[in-house]
Each structure stands twice: as structure tokens, then as C-alpha cells.
Amino acid sequence: MSSGRKLTDVLVESALIVFGILLGLYFQSLADKREVEAKKEIALSRVIKEISHNKDVVAEAVQNHELIIRRLSHSDSIQAYLSKKPFDIRRVLGAQPIYKVYPRATSWNAANASGIVAEFDFTHLELLTDNYSLQQNVIDQVSAVADIILNSSTQDPQATMNGLLMNMQELAGREKLLVMNYEQILRLITTDTKNN
């Protein structure tokens, strides 16, 4: 065999090896993209379920909190609560906790920790980030209300009732905004998912 033939055979074999490697990389890339897409879909579906659950939790809480606000807004009922000794602001709550179950962020936090949120549509990512920020604002306001309730025995009853009314109104306002935000996200992401 001539040296030209050997060189040609080596070049052909090298080209086949390079082609095989590139083909393998291409198929690996496709498999990786499918795997990332599957993880993204799972994460997004879990976040959507979490948001749907949270919407129900917060919507129920809004109804209870509006009832408390109505009680606190009527001077007759305020006087009835103030006249009972010892003063216990928890009577206004009707033996209900502020939240039976708090809105969750488990799926959202897991998606962030795994880094899969980087694969989410940017518009969805903005909405979801804003949503969980609003949700945290609601939880922070619940803490403010809880502080008023827990410190009520050492405070002036009338001032405590006024502070509770103001903070419950703020809480209900934040909750209503959050419920509207949940609904917007559910509509948008569900529509976008069906269209893709």
C-alpha cells in the first residue's frame, strides 16, 4: 500500500471518528434538552398547584378577616368586647386562628434551589417572583396582627382594638391583592401552557 493510500485511510477514519463524536454530542444535547424541559414542566406544574392551593387558603382567610373587620368597625360590638373583663382581644377573632394553614412556598423554593427557574419563560418568572414577594408581605402582616393580639393584655384596650382594626384592614387588602395575583398567574400560565 502506498503512503498516499494510508494517509487517505487515516483521514477517512479520523473524519468518521470526529463525525461519530459530533453525532454523539448532538444526540446527548437533544437528550439533555428533553431532560431539562421535563424537569421544567414538572417544576412549573408543582408551582401552579401550589399557587392554586394558596389561592384557596388566602381566599378563605380574606372572608374570615373581613368578618373580623366588620366586628371591629361597629361601635356597639367594640363596646361589648371592651366591657367584658378581663379584656381579651381574641374574642374578636371568634376563636379562629388568623390562618388555619399558611400559604406555602415549598415548590417555588425547590425550583429556585434547583436552578430550574432559569428555564422558565421570563414573563412567567417575573409574575411568580412578584407573587411570592406579595405572599411574603401577607405573612409579614399576619405577624404584625399576631403581635397586637399577643401584646393586647398589656396595652390600652381601645388603642389595641384600633390598632387591630387598622392592621386587619391592611391584611385583608394585601390578601385581596394576592388573590387577584394568584388568579392572573393561573390564567396566564395555563393559557400559555395550552398554546405551546
Side-chain angles (χ1 to χ4, degrees):
M1 231 197 250
S2 71
S3 64
R5 187 94 161 118
K6 285 183 182 180
L7 183 60
T8 304
D9 288 345
V10 169
L11 288 175
V12 168
E13 286 177 20
S14 297
L16 286 173
I17 290 170
V18 169
F19 177 74
I21 291 171
L22 291 175
L23 190 61
L25 290 173
Y26 172 74
F27 285 122
Q28 183 62 47
S29 174
L30 285 178
D32 290 346
K33 283 181 183 178
R34 272 185 257 146
E35 183 181 345
V36 167
E37 187 64 27
K39 286 179 181 178
K40 178 184 100 170
E41 293 304 319
I42 289 169
L44 189 58
S45 72
R46 288 184 179 166
V47 167
I48 294 302
K49 284 180 185 175
E50 182 171 78
I51 288 174
S52 181
H53 167 267
N54 291 347
K55 180 180 81 73
D56 294 342
V57 166
V58 175
E60 180 183 344
V62 169
Q63 292 176 352
N64 293 334
H65 298 159
E66 286 181 333
L67 178 63
I68 293 168
I69 290 167
R70 282 193 295 277
R71 283 185 205 141
L72 289 167
S73 298
H74 291 90
S75 59
D76 293 341
S77 60
I78 289 177
Q79 289 308 315
Y81 291 119
L82 290 173
S83 65
K84 291 185 180 176
K85 302 293 180 200
F87 173 70
D88 187 353
I89 200 157
R90 291 175 294 179
R91 289 186 190 113
V92 178
L93 300 176
Q96 293 269 2
I98 299 172
Y99 264 89
K100 294 177 186 173
V101 177
Y102 279 92
R104 299 185 305 227
T106 308
S107 295
W108 174 247
N109 291 339
N112 271 310
S114 73
I116 199 67
V117 295
E119 300 298 323
F120 287 8
D121 176 82
F122 190 74
T123 303
H124 295 170
L125 187 57
E126 282 182 317
L127 287 170
L128 291 168
T129 302
D130 186 48
N131 174 76
Y132 282 97
S133 177
L134 288 172
Q135 185 171 294
Q136 186 58 50
N137 289 340
V138 166
I139 292 169
D140 293 345
Q141 187 61 30
V142 170
S143 296
V145 169
D147 285 345
I148 292 170
I149 293 167
L150 294 173
N151 295 318
S152 65
S153 61
T154 62
Q155 305 295 323
D156 171 53
Q158 185 65 51
T160 300
M161 296 288 265
N162 291 339
L164 182 60
L165 173 60
M166 181 184 73
N167 279 278
M168 288 301 296
Q169 288 170 330
E170 179 66 24
L171 176 59
R174 289 181 186 190
E175 289 168 333
K176 289 176 189 175
L177 181 63
L178 183 57
V179 169
M180 289 187 320
N181 201 62
Y182 287 144
E183 290 169 348
Q184 176 189 8
I185 287 171
L186 292 172
R187 261 191 323 271
L188 178 70
I189 293 179
T190 303
T191 301
D192 287 355
T193 304
K194 287 179 185 176
N195 291 337
N196 289 332

